[in-house]
Amino acid sequence: MKANHLLYCGAAVLCGAILTPAFAAGRDCAPLGSLPSYVADSSGPELRDYQSADFDVQAGDASHTVTVAGRYCKLDYTPKDGTEPLSDLEIQSNYREQLGKLGAQVLFSDDRNTEGKIVRNGQETWFKIYSQETEIDITVVVKQPPKQVLTAPSGNDYRLLGHMPNYTAGTPEKRNFDKLEFDVKNSDEQDTVEVQGARYSVNYSPRDGVQANSDLDIQENYRTALKALGAQLLFTDERNTDARLEHDGQTIWVRIYSQETEIDIGVIEEKAFQATIQTPQASALKTALDKDGHVALYINFDFDKATLRPDAAPVIAQVVALLKDAPTLKLSIEGHTDNVGSHDYNLKLSQDRAASVVAALVKAGIAADRLSSAGHGPDQPIADNKTGEGRARNRRVELVKR
């Protein structure tokens, strides 16, 4: 095959295509050219600032798939009217010759496919060329991280989350008390949790004349914002993010659904659970331990962490008083969680929280050999995890008489 079967972008355009922030509309997906007997789809290339594609990589006799995300371009070609289509062999041979001149690394090839990457100045450009004679599909991804473009909250946004700049909010729907369902990934299983409280729902659509963002771009932006708020991501897939966070002492659940031309935000602000009005007194703790051998405490930790909050100090002080009043008493401090999230994660969190309580007691002057700690995660619930109050009751630390 002759190299002039290909239309080259030219050296200057090639360098610019790899380094500039976006592909130019109406052109080939740089740095790949096009065959002169084929015409690009009339709608032009599909362009996204951030999107992913899967690429095959050959390793010995086997192949595996690599997902690459970044600046994305996809363009389809068909034979010009009145021209005979080329064979797949001729199509693939022409593109491989061009790729060789560009210094590309071909990672997978067969009769209808050529896939690989070009590395230049530390920038990876991944490509995929698929052909079936009457159709050529080109996909190019310039690997790069997503850009965080979510705005600050304003207007009809939920008070903690902004919006994608290319989108406008509809009229929010607010309810003082309502419910929503949230998906939760528990280890290898997916579950649904119904949550009740104050509801806020809002829908976004693209502004007139602007390009919709990819679902990946939308979801990554919201996930970054949620993580910055300290949220625990409970479930994620291509179009969904479900999360739980705590803000000013209130548990907040967030659901984000996208399909490029639509973004739906659903929020439930759970009513705070008050386990007791007053701090349990040492004498009451002693009575419960003598009667049942264990007693539950509701000690406040930072959300999703094992760090004791300052308002936990009065409860710790009463446990210290209990142990000082009964110098022969030995306790196992045992942590428990609700069942939202990964079992292994919750087990570790419960262990760490129990250990934090032990550390606080030792710091207050209790001998370490009188104390031990354990964590049971969600395995020993005392209430129904399907309700907010039940989940709050299950998030506890127990004193167990040894």
Side-chain angles (χ1 to χ4, degrees):
M1 303 301 163
K2 296 181 180 179
N4 61 10
H5 281 190
L6 292 165
L7 300 180
Y8 291 94
C9 297
V13 175
L14 170 58
C15 293
I18 292 180
L19 299 176
T20 51
F23 295 112
R27 294 173 55 183
D28 299 330
C29 290
L32 298 181
S34 58
L35 290 164
S37 57
Y38 284 74
V39 61
D41 188 288
S42 59
S43 60
E46 179 186 348
L47 304 172
R48 292 290 187 272
D49 288 333
Y50 190 73
Q51 178 61 294
S52 67
D54 291 337
F55 298 88
D56 291 322
V57 175
Q58 191 76 32
D61 294 333
S63 64
H64 62 278
T65 299
V66 175
T67 301
V68 180
R71 195 168 68 249
Y72 174 95
C73 179
K74 186 177 188 302
L75 186 56
D76 300 336
Y77 299 87
T78 53
K80 291 180 178 178
D81 291 342
T83 64
E84 286 293 325
L86 303 180
S87 69
D88 290 317
L89 176 60
E90 187 169 6
I91 294 169
Q92 294 294 332
S93 296
N94 269 275
Y95 275 100
R96 289 169 192 170
E97 186 169 347
Q98 184 196 24
L99 289 166
K101 293 188 176 185
L102 294 174
Q105 180 183 4
V106 175
L107 301 173
F108 177 85
S109 64
D110 61 16
D111 290 346
R112 288 185 168 180
N113 294 274
T114 301
E115 305 183 36
K117 63 181 177 180
I118 301 166
V119 181
R120 186 168 295 182
N121 297 325
Q123 176 74 72
E124 293 184 14
T125 300
W126 289 71
F127 56 82
K128 179 190 301 186
I129 301 126
Y130 167 78
S131 66
Q132 53 175 358
E133 297 192 354
T134 57
E135 180 182 351
I136 302 172
D137 300 333
I138 304 292
T139 302
V140 176
V141 177
V142 180
K143 186 177 180 180
Q144 61 186 25
K147 295 179 180 178
Q148 185 64 18
V149 298
L150 211 66
T151 68
S154 64
N156 288 336
D157 295 334
Y158 176 62
R159 61 189 179 91
L160 297 180
L161 291 172
H163 61 273
M164 299 295 287
N166 287 354
Y167 291 73
T168 56
T171 302
E173 184 178 289
K174 304 176 185 179
R175 296 289 183 270
N176 290 330
F177 189 72
D178 206 344
K179 63 184 180 180
L180 284 175
E181 290 186 343
F182 296 85
D183 289 324
V184 176
K185 187 73 176 293
N186 295 317
S187 299
D188 294 330
E189 297 181 359
Q190 181 180 337
D191 198 6
T192 300
V193 176
E194 182 180 282
V195 184
Q196 299 179 342
R199 178 168 70 85
Y200 191 100
S201 301
V202 62
N203 175 271
Y204 296 87
S205 55
R207 292 188 290 110
D208 291 341
V210 302
Q211 171 71 56
N213 294 86
S214 70
D215 289 317
L216 180 63
D217 202 2
I218 294 166
Q219 295 295 333
E220 286 294 337
N221 266 269
Y222 277 102
R223 288 167 193 169
T224 299
L226 287 165
K227 289 176 183 177
L229 292 169
Q232 178 187 15
L233 301 186
L234 304 173
F235 177 82
T236 61
D237 65 13
E238 292 177 351
R239 290 184 168 179
N240 295 276
T241 298
D242 290 45
R244 180 173 67 169
L245 62 109
E246 192 171 284
H247 184 75
D248 292 338
Q250 185 170 48
T251 300
I252 300 171
W253 297 67
V254 180
R255 183 184 66 197
I256 296 155
Y257 167 77
S258 67
Q259 54 176 359
E260 296 197 355
T261 57
E262 180 181 358
I263 303 173
D264 294 324
I265 309 291
V267 178
I268 290 287
E269 296 182 343
E270 253 189 313
K271 183 179 178 181
F273 169 68
Q274 299 294 331
T276 180
I277 297 175
Q278 296 181 337
T279 300
Q281 299 300 299
S283 58
L285 296 176
K286 177 71 163 52
T287 298
L289 285 169
D290 289 341
K291 179 184 177 184
D292 301 321
H294 63 93
V295 61
L297 299 178
Y298 292 90
I299 301 176
N300 289 329
F301 297 86
D302 286 346
F303 178 73
D304 210 29
K305 297 179 181 178
T307 307
L308 286 162
R309 289 187 178 176
D311 60 5
V315 180
I316 296 296
Q318 290 302 312
V319 180
V320 170
L322 164 71
L323 288 161
K324 287 184 175 179
D325 290 343
T328 62
L329 178 63
K330 294 184 177 182
L331 293 177
S332 173
I333 312 299
E334 303 186 2
H336 301 265
T337 69
D338 60 27
N339 70 343
V340 175
S342 162
H343 178 277
D344 290 346
Y345 182 88
N346 282 328
L347 183 63
K348 177 70 163 53
L349 181 62
S350 68
Q351 292 168 345
D352 291 345
R353 287 182 167 179
S356 290
V357 173
V358 168
L361 295 173
V362 171
K363 185 177 180 180
I366 304 301
D369 60 5
R370 297 177 62 192
L371 304 168
S372 61
S373 67
H376 302 286
D379 296 334
Q380 297 180 8
I382 58 173
D384 189 351
N385 275 305
K386 293 187 179 298
T387 69
E389 181 176 343
R391 289 188 293 272
R393 289 179 62 84
N394 288 332
R395 297 191 294 268
R396 68 197 189 279
V397 172
E398 288 199 357
L399 307 181
V400 180
K401 196 172 182 179
R402 288 164 48 189

